[in-house]
Amino acid sequence: MTAGALGSGNLCPQLIIDTPSRAPSHRTSLVGRDVEVLTLSAQLGREEHRLITLTGPGGVGKSRLACAAVADAPIARVAYLDLHETVGGEGLAETLAAGLPDEPSLLILDGFEQAAAATAAAVDTLLSRFPRLRILTTSRRPLHLYGERLFPVLPLPTPTPPYRQNVLELQDHAAVELFVDRARAIDPSFALTAQNAQAVAEICARMDGLPLAIELVAEKLRLFGVDSLLTRLREGRPVLGGDHAARSSLHCTVRSITEHSFRLLDEEQRALITRLAVFTGSMNLTTIEEFWALPAHRTEQVVEALVGHHLLRVTPGGGEPRFTMFNTVREFCLERLSVTGELPDARRRHAEHFLELALQAEDRLTGPQQAQWLQRLAPLHEDLLAALTHLEASGRRTDAARAALALHRFWLVRGHLALGEQWLAKASTAFLTAPGHGELTARAEAARGQLALACGDARLAADCFRHAARAFREVGDTVREQAALAWLAVSHGPVGPSAVRKAAVQLLNAAAGEGTTVEAGSAALALATGSRLIDAKLAADLLDTANALFMRARDVRGEGLVLAVRGALADSRGDQVLAERLLWESLHRLRAVGEHTWLPTVLEGHALHVWRRLPHQGHRVARLLAAASALREATGGHPLLVFGDVAAALLDARRLLSGPEFEAARREGRVLSADAAAGEALAVGPPAPEPASAVSRPVQLTARQYEVAMLVSQGMTNRQISQQLRLSEWTVVNHVRQVMRRLDVPSRIHVAQWVMDRQRRNGLGTAAE
């Protein structure tokens, strides 16, 4: 059958191929589609599947997949028509009907988007007229006909950041395999190595796994090295220009494909997708609605249409739907904004939106909404960084500094340590050069010091805390000054007993007031961590103070960290059962807030205790230790707290398991997310409590200790209890510590629970036992 036999009206006279030629052949290999080819071939072989439509974004390879599947399908006669450049399509049904054979056959209609109405009518007519005809179509959107079976064609799988897999594991991803294959067509000596594998993985991820985009970016290796290509992509510079050696003009460039998609949109849809290009991460319906002042119902309609055209995609995950834009589409839209002169205003609005969000989040990152706000900011991190960059580039350095200071806790919890330290260095400089920002300068230096210390840069951290303490003193903030001095003592490395006690006494005295902040609690926690091997009693007192401050603020992460340090103290005195229980509870809290920086250390401690108690769990222990190591590599964190000999545990696990089993466990562990690793650890329940538990066995408390326990259960602080009982605050601290030891509980909240349980049993008795 020839093109001339079918040409009619505005029908594009592309070639129709009859048996035995079948569909058009291609000169390059089809990579990463083996499963899809087999599945689609099987569906084409079933007579009841009379209409199948391959849907997916432009450049994903729908046409290639269709042709490959047809070549493997048990079909006697095949006809093919390329409709990519067809507009209108009048008379399509009559033209095709005149040439189709009256026998079992398959008709391929490739790319009908611009003639959708005519194609739908023609397909409906042909299926009714030819009962032995089956039709395979490809398009960005379905025909919406009765009996149509959709076959979504997804982008090729890409590695997920931070790309911790080794070279062989990265090349197992089809997107990386395609890049390497096309790169070798340009340079036969190209190979994926330990030096370039992570860069190639990130390039493929930034190309969204779209085969056409990956092929185009691989062709740029004629001009740039892999690292240079990645740098250009990170800087937002165009890299996908130029022609591609495809069989049709539509597939020569990504731009031509995107232009083709834009012609299918109405004006409102074009305006929205273009303006959304300033978002670099994901967005939800509320953000889109607020950002462009659209009514809620209209926002949903427009976004649904854009998803249907595969210009936006739904991001996997639970909760409310989030949407991201393909990077190839974003590049095209940013160019349109630049041409129309709208880009500066769009960037300004984007930056102001995320500046406001960062400032709004600051106080909520330590309170009862901590987990929700940490979770909310995580998918917006790229946009927050883009906003900071734009504010700084546009001369609004103080605004950028305020946003960076507001985000420092997010960076600390989520493990963006080096990045956060760099932004806080800029923030400190910006505040210094702006008059009247002494307090903000001090806070920026203190926050920067915490991030530097978490990275293991003790010298930089000490400088920051020294500057912070001086600045806090100048503005009269005694509590924060003492907190900075406590951090400074920790930053100086191994702390001598006298320095510990001096810093601890000053901090505890300063932290006794009602207005004490979470920063003081963090400083007390750090000082307790650094001094636990020097003075366990003083470390316990510091932990009591830190825990009281965290509980008052309802800071879940802080409570989790206190439990971890208490677990280390229990471990150091040989109480492994209590240590494991404390670490298990710590993991629960840290997982709830999405902790990344301390999590590897707590994972290691928990894994070591599981190994001692359950040696048959060697596979799990190896996975957890590998996950902890990989997570620490990703954050660049330097632990202040260390549990046992991890290397020895790994060696024991290697002896217990066979070589392949051990290596498989290590590979599985290294690709676990922080949440998955914590879940894996928590799957091993804590040790069962001893039969005579702290709740059920008789506990000998003195009358004074029971009185203190009662006041603790009422939520009083140490200072309030000291005023109530007319005791010194240090005496109260000692009483609380003795009560917790006698009850064998890790925190004040457990003391309160013990009091309530006892009152329920004894009818609200108040006498000491």
Side-chain angles (χ1 to χ4, degrees), residues 663-688:
E663 291 304 321
R666 294 279 290 166
R667 286 196 300 271
E668 292 167 7
R670 287 189 63 82
V671 297
L672 288 175
S673 66
D675 181 74
E680 173 92 356
L682 290 170
V684 181

Side-chain angles (χ1 to χ4, degrees), residues 16-56:
I16 277 195
I17 300 176
D18 200 0
T19 305
S21 302
R22 296 183 177 245
S25 61
H26 296 271
R27 301 177 185 178
T28 56
S29 58
L30 182 63
V31 175
R33 296 297 191 192
D34 294 345
V35 174
E36 290 93 333
V37 168
L38 290 173
T39 304
L40 182 56
S41 296
Q43 291 195 16
L44 290 171
R46 301 182 63 176
E47 294 183 0
E48 65 271 22
H49 294 173
R50 297 195 61 204
L51 174 60
I52 300 175
T53 298
L54 274 62
T55 61

Side-chain angles (χ1 to χ4, degrees), residues 199-467:
V200 169
E202 186 174 343
I203 288 172
C204 292
R206 287 178 176 272
M207 293 298 99
D208 304 304
L210 292 175
L212 179 60
I214 292 171
E215 291 180 342
L216 284 170
V217 78
E219 288 188 359
K220 292 297 180 181
L221 292 176
R222 302 177 194 273
L223 301 175
F224 308 105
V226 171
D227 291 336
S228 297
L229 268 179
L230 180 56
T231 299
R232 293 176 69 88
L233 286 170
R234 286 174 173 172
E235 293 175 352
R237 298 160 68 184
V239 297
L240 297 178
D243 291 343
H244 181 269
R247 70 176 190 278
S248 73
S249 59
L250 174 64
H251 292 84
C252 284
T253 65
V254 172
R255 177 184 177 84
S256 63
I257 291 178
T258 310
E259 284 180 329
H260 182 75
S261 298
F262 261 63
R263 288 197 291 269
L264 306 176
L265 305 178
D266 61 32
E267 287 302 320
E268 186 177 36
Q269 293 165 354
R270 291 177 190 172
L272 181 61
I273 190 66
T274 302
R275 292 168 184 166
L276 291 179
V278 293
F279 283 84
T280 57
S282 65
M283 62 205 94
N284 59 16
L285 289 172
T286 303
T287 301
I288 298 172
E289 177 186 338
E290 292 174 351
F291 201 68
W292 297 115
L294 287 174
H297 71 282
R298 188 57 189 151
T299 301
E300 293 183 15
Q301 293 172 355
V302 176
V303 169
E304 184 177 5
L306 294 174
V307 171
H309 286 284
H310 295 281
L311 295 172
L312 290 179
R313 56 179 171 175
V314 181
T315 303
E320 62 176 344
R322 302 195 66 85
F323 307 92
T324 54
M325 187 181 298
F326 287 102
N327 286 311
T328 50
V329 176
R330 180 180 293 109
E331 186 174 304
F332 174 84
C333 293
L334 288 174
E335 183 181 337
R336 285 175 61 93
L337 282 175
S338 181
V339 169
T340 60
E342 299 175 83
L343 185 57
D345 181 64
R347 292 237 188 255
R348 178 189 59 78
R349 294 183 63 186
H350 175 273
E352 290 179 350
H353 175 83
F354 284 98
L355 168 62
E356 182 181 350
L357 179 68
L359 298 178
Q360 185 182 4
E362 182 173 17
D363 292 336
R364 293 170 173 82
L365 292 177
T366 56
Q369 296 178 301
Q370 180 185 58
Q372 295 93 315
W373 274 86
L374 287 167
Q375 184 178 11
R376 179 178 178 182
L377 293 181
L380 304 176
H381 189 216
E382 289 186 32
D383 281 296
L384 288 163
L385 293 178
L388 288 174
T389 301
H390 178 78
L391 290 169
E392 185 182 44
S394 58
R396 299 171 61 180
R397 297 176 62 211
T398 303
D399 283 338
R402 290 167 58 218
L405 180 57
L407 292 171
H408 84 270
R409 288 192 187 94
F410 171 78
W411 288 327
L412 185 62
V413 175
R414 291 288 174 155
H416 304 293
L417 305 178
L419 176 71
E421 187 275 318
Q422 292 165 9
W423 275 108
L424 286 167
K426 296 178 182 179
S428 180
T429 303
F431 289 139
L432 275 172
T433 56
H437 288 79
E439 181 185 356
L440 292 177
T441 302
R443 289 177 56 203
E445 284 292 323
R448 184 187 177 199
Q450 291 183 46
L451 288 164
L453 187 61
C455 285
D457 194 338
R459 178 175 297 179
L460 174 60
D463 288 342
C464 292
F465 291 128
R466 191 177 294 110
H467 295 153

Side-chain angles (χ1 to χ4, degrees), residues 33-161:
R33 296 297 191 192
D34 294 345
V35 174
E36 290 93 333
V37 168
L38 290 173
T39 304
L40 182 56
S41 296
Q43 291 195 16
L44 290 171
R46 301 182 63 176
E47 294 183 0
E48 65 271 22
H49 294 173
R50 297 195 61 204
L51 174 60
I52 300 175
T53 298
L54 274 62
T55 61
V60 79
K62 299 182 293 294
S63 303
R64 289 292 306 274
L65 175 60
C67 295
V70 168
D72 288 347
I75 302 170
R77 298 178 66 82
V78 177
Y80 173 89
L81 180 60
D82 189 339
L83 295 171
H84 280 105
E85 298 182 24
T86 300
V87 179
E90 293 84 358
L92 179 60
E94 291 73 15
T95 305
L96 287 171
L100 289 173
D102 189 14
E103 61 179 298
S105 57
L106 173 70
L107 171 63
I108 305 173
L109 299 177
D110 192 9
F112 61 74
E113 291 93 343
Q114 296 195 95
T119 304
V123 167
D124 199 29
T125 300
L126 292 173
L127 289 175
S128 299
R129 189 178 302 179
F130 296 91
R132 293 189 290 179
L133 174 69
R134 280 172 282 167
I135 297 178
L136 175 64
T137 65
T138 73
S139 174
R140 289 168 178 77
R141 51 183 177 171
L143 287 165
H144 298 294
L145 292 177
Y146 181 73
E148 179 182 27
R149 300 184 69 89
L150 299 182
F151 193 102
V153 183
L154 303 177
L156 296 175
T158 61
T160 54

